[in-house]
Amino acid sequence: AVRTRLAALADAVPRIPQELSNAASVVTRDVNSGRPGLVILILTVLFVVGFGAEWLVRRTLASGDSHGTVDPGQAVLSEVASLLTFALASIGSFLAFEWPPFLRRIVLTTLLAFIAVRVVRAIVKLLFGLAGAKRRTLQEMPTAAPVASETEQRFWFRRVSLIAGFLLFGWALVSLMPSIGFSVDVVRVAALLCGLGMLAIAIEIVWRRPGRTTSSVRQLLLSFYLIALWLTWVAGLLGVLWLGLYDAPQHLTVPET
């Protein structure tokens, strides 16, 4: 089974240029209706509408806070209200008009992926905000468990955002590719390439994560471990992959929040 899968993936690589050309024709004919850039134009308009409505909500909430202090509960409310406003304004504006089914699916899938990435970023930001409040509370307690510093928070926030982007936009891309004429094996190659991006980020975390004193030998072994996980995905050994992913956090621990 592994040999068959690897052979199918290898045979799919030379077909990628032709399938890209065929997909471009399908997009031009059935999605853009002969108007190049229609999807990009619609997404740009929706982003402008969504961010504009979000800016108004943030400004309204900020003007209602006359104390000038950051309340964790108010921060959570503001973030949730802003994300909901963006989602409702962008998706609602799009659904207010009639669109061809294929065009509607592409735009909505892309919007959902973008909103999901923003939700992940907001959750991480809120967790680190709570961690900052905890650190200030425990400044007088030297025996307390260490909390991630601002440098560590920035490091992890950027990496989590990148991984979420690869994962969620990769999901959106892979879910749409069969509809525009890509074969199953080419779709698998695209998914593996998205996974390769996440692998690169994970290896960079192993070697550059702050606040850790790990020997070079252990870092090298962890890098090989992550590469082995990606190779099990390539081979289609999903059970082994999930077992390895379950075990990985024991070695790649995110700082306490």
Side-chain angles (χ1 to χ4, degrees), residues 13 45 71 88 96 109 158 161 169 173 184 190 193 213 230 253:
V13 173
V45 172
D71 178 37
L88 292 174
T109 302
R158 291 170 183 168
S161 299
F169 281 109
L173 175 66
V184 173
L193 290 176
T213 55
W230 184 76
T253 306

Side-chain angles (χ1 to χ4, degrees), residues 15-244:
R15 300 201 308 267
I16 291 177
Q18 182 60 45
E19 293 198 11
L20 281 173
S21 177
N22 296 338
S25 300
V26 172
V27 170
T28 301
R29 182 183 67 249
D30 300 336
V31 180
N32 288 330
S33 302
R35 291 168 287 182
L38 178 62
V39 172
I40 296 176
L41 176 62
I42 292 174
L43 286 172
T44 301
V45 172
L46 294 178
F47 286 148
V48 170
V49 171
F51 280 118
E54 180 181 343
W55 176 79
L56 289 174
V57 169
R58 287 186 183 274
R59 185 174 181 182
T60 302
L61 292 176
S63 62
D65 184 13
S66 58
H67 302 289
T69 58
V70 179
D71 178 37
Q74 183 69 20
V76 172
L77 176 62
S78 176
E79 199 67 34
V80 171
S82 300
L83 283 173
L84 284 177
T85 301
F86 177 88
L88 292 174
S90 57
I91 295 177
S93 299
F94 181 71
L95 294 179
F97 301 92
E98 289 292 332
W99 303 99
F102 198 13
L103 174 62
R104 182 169 64 245
R105 182 185 173 192
I106 289 177
V107 172
L108 288 179
T109 302
T110 306
L111 271 177
L112 288 175
F114 182 77
I115 292 169
V117 171
R118 292 200 60 197
V119 169
V120 172
R121 286 169 55 88
I123 291 173
V124 175
K125 190 183 298 183
L126 291 173
L127 288 175
F128 280 140
L130 295 175
K134 177 182 177 182
R135 183 173 60 249
R136 290 189 294 270
T137 304
L138 298 179
Q139 281 179 345
E140 303 300 326
M141 301 172 61
T143 59
V147 181
S149 65
E150 291 184 4
T151 301
E152 290 176 307
Q153 291 179 15
R154 285 194 298 269
F155 177 89
W156 286 105
F157 181 73
R158 291 170 183 168
R159 272 68 181 180
V160 170
S161 299
L162 285 173
I163 290 175
F166 271 104
L167 178 64
L168 294 167
F169 281 109
W171 160 80
L173 175 66
V174 167
S175 67
L176 292 171
M177 286 178 68
S179 303
I180 53 179
F182 285 99
S183 63
V184 173
D185 292 323
V186 172
V187 172
R188 286 176 178 168
V189 171
L192 291 171
L193 290 176
C194 292
L196 194 60
M198 290 187 284
L199 171 65
I201 298 169
I203 293 176
E204 191 259 354
I205 290 173
V206 169
W207 289 92
R208 297 188 59 189
R209 55 183 175 157
R212 293 283 172 179
T213 55
T214 306
S215 66
S216 298
V217 174
R218 188 165 185 267
Q219 290 173 317
L220 190 62
L221 291 175
L222 284 174
S223 300
F224 283 131
Y225 179 81
L226 293 169
I227 293 171
L229 286 180
W230 184 76
L231 291 176
T232 59
W233 184 13
V234 174
L237 303 174
L238 299 183
V240 178
L241 172 66
W242 286 112
L243 286 174

